Amino acid sequence: MFARIDHIGIAVTSIDEELALYEQTYEMEIAHREVIEQQGVEAVLLDIGESHVELLQPLGPGTPIGRFLDRRGPGVHHVAYQVADIDAELERLRDAGIQLIDQAPRTGIRGSRVAFCHPKSTGGVLTEIVEPAEAH
Amino acid sequence: MFARIDHIGIAVTSIDEELALYEQTYEMEIAHREVIEQQGVEAVLLDIGESHVELLQPLGPGTPIGRFLDRRGPGVHHVAYQVADIDAELERLRDAGIQLIDQAPRTGIRGSRVAFCHPKSTGGVLTEIVEPAEAH
């Protein structure tokens, strides 16, 4: 079961430029900032209700977010739902015929465990499930 | 101030086909279903935490969602944030230099008052603000 929208992942060319919009105009507060070398991104989480907006800036042009920006330009990159037990959810999604990008959970932002589903099997929406680390 | 993610608007070719994914696999419950002639869509709201997923099926090919599907295919169409006072928020966004698609609020789903901001001024994300009707 999906408990809530964990975050909306948004591809940006520059986090610092985009923060003018999200911090000043939208009045959201930064909850976390992290470079995730393995995924080739710098990410910022902004608080919005029980969810977050996640701004994603590529570390280079050949990274997944870099290629997304080349192809589509800035905008929504993925939608993430929070789950309590990612192992059970992954099993459930696999059994339902969802095409998994990650066959097993991997480490995401703030020590969470995450897995992505291919948009081909989720109505064109790149979809992530997230089991937060216990502290969050 | 934005209180929460009100909904994520997702363009689909067929609501009924997509409900297999959202109701059965994602286990979200339908909160509301409505044909909004003025916007050329049929829409379904599904519960997810304090937010909703909004599935949007075009009533015809020349509608905004119909053209979006032609251009981009199914996927995330817009992100909507909930506000308590849409008139004040629109004024604030206008003053901050955001390019408004709707200069004044109009009626949205379930009797809400809504307004859209142009993605050119919101980092490539078509962004809606929503003041819910009192019953919601």
Side-chain angles (χ1 to χ4, degrees):
Chain A
M1 195 198 150
F2 294 176
R4 62 174 70 170
I5 296 171
D6 187 88
H7 64 266
I8 301 172
I10 296 175
V12 305
T13 51
S14 162
I15 282 175
D16 288 328
E17 283 174 24
E18 212 61 20
L19 283 178
L21 177 69
Y22 282 88
E23 278 195 297
Q24 290 162 39
T25 306
Y26 292 174
E27 297 177 337
M28 295 181 194
E29 288 188 10
I30 294 180
H32 182 73
R33 186 164 185 156
E34 183 176 340
V35 172
I36 312 171
E37 293 279 355
Q38 197 198 350
Q39 292 171 43
V41 292
E42 182 168 2
V44 160
L45 292 175
L46 295 133
D47 289 323
I48 175 72
E50 67 182 17
S51 308
H52 293 99
V53 166
E54 182 185 60
L55 302 181
L56 298 161
Q57 175 187 330
L59 297 180
T63 60
I65 297 295
R67 289 194 301 268
F68 178 90
L69 287 171
D70 277 349
R71 209 169 56 239
R72 306 279 294 252
V76 176
H77 177 260
H78 67 270
V79 174
Y81 297 106
Q82 196 175 113
V83 299
D85 179 345
I86 195 169
D87 300 292
E89 289 297 323
L90 260 188
E91 193 66 29
R92 210 173 57 74
L93 293 175
R94 185 184 291 113
D95 289 348
I98 300 294
Q99 191 180 328
L100 303 178
I101 294 174
D102 300 298
Q103 298 302 320
R106 54 187 174 81
T107 302
I109 196 166
R110 287 204 294 187
S112 56
R113 299 175 71 218
V114 308
F116 280 87
C117 305
H118 199 288
K120 275 185 193 165
S121 61
T122 52
V125 181
L126 178 60
T127 301
E128 182 183 7
I129 56 174
V130 180
E131 181 188 309
E134 280 191 25
H136 300 291
Chain B
M1 195 198 152
F2 295 174
R4 63 174 70 169
I5 297 170
D6 186 88
H7 64 265
I8 301 173
I10 296 175
V12 304
T13 50
S14 162
I15 282 174
D16 288 328
E17 284 176 23
E18 212 60 21
L19 283 178
L21 178 68
Y22 282 88
E23 278 195 297
Q24 290 162 38
T25 306
Y26 292 175
E27 297 178 336
M28 296 181 193
E29 289 187 11
I30 295 181
H32 183 72
R33 186 164 185 156
E34 182 176 341
V35 172
I36 313 171
E37 292 280 354
Q38 197 197 350
Q39 292 171 43
V41 292
E42 181 169 2
V44 159
L45 292 175
L46 295 132
D47 289 323
I48 174 72
E50 66 181 17
S51 308
H52 294 99
V53 166
E54 183 186 58
L55 302 181
L56 298 161
Q57 175 186 332
L59 297 181
T63 59
I65 296 295
R67 290 193 301 269
F68 178 89
L69 287 172
D70 278 348
R71 210 169 55 239
R72 307 280 294 251
V76 176
H77 177 261
H78 67 270
V79 174
Y81 297 107
Q82 195 174 112
V83 300
D85 180 345
I86 196 170
D87 300 291
E89 287 298 322
L90 260 188
E91 192 66 27
R92 210 172 59 73
L93 293 174
R94 186 184 289 112
D95 289 349
I98 300 294
Q99 191 180 328
L100 304 178
I101 293 173
D102 300 299
Q103 298 301 320
R106 57 188 171 82
T107 302
I109 195 165
R110 287 204 294 186
S112 56
R113 298 175 70 217
V114 307
F116 280 87
C117 305
H118 199 289
K120 275 185 194 166
S121 60
T122 52
V125 180
L126 177 60
T127 301
E128 180 184 10
I129 55 174
V130 180
E131 182 189 308
E134 278 190 28
H136 300 291

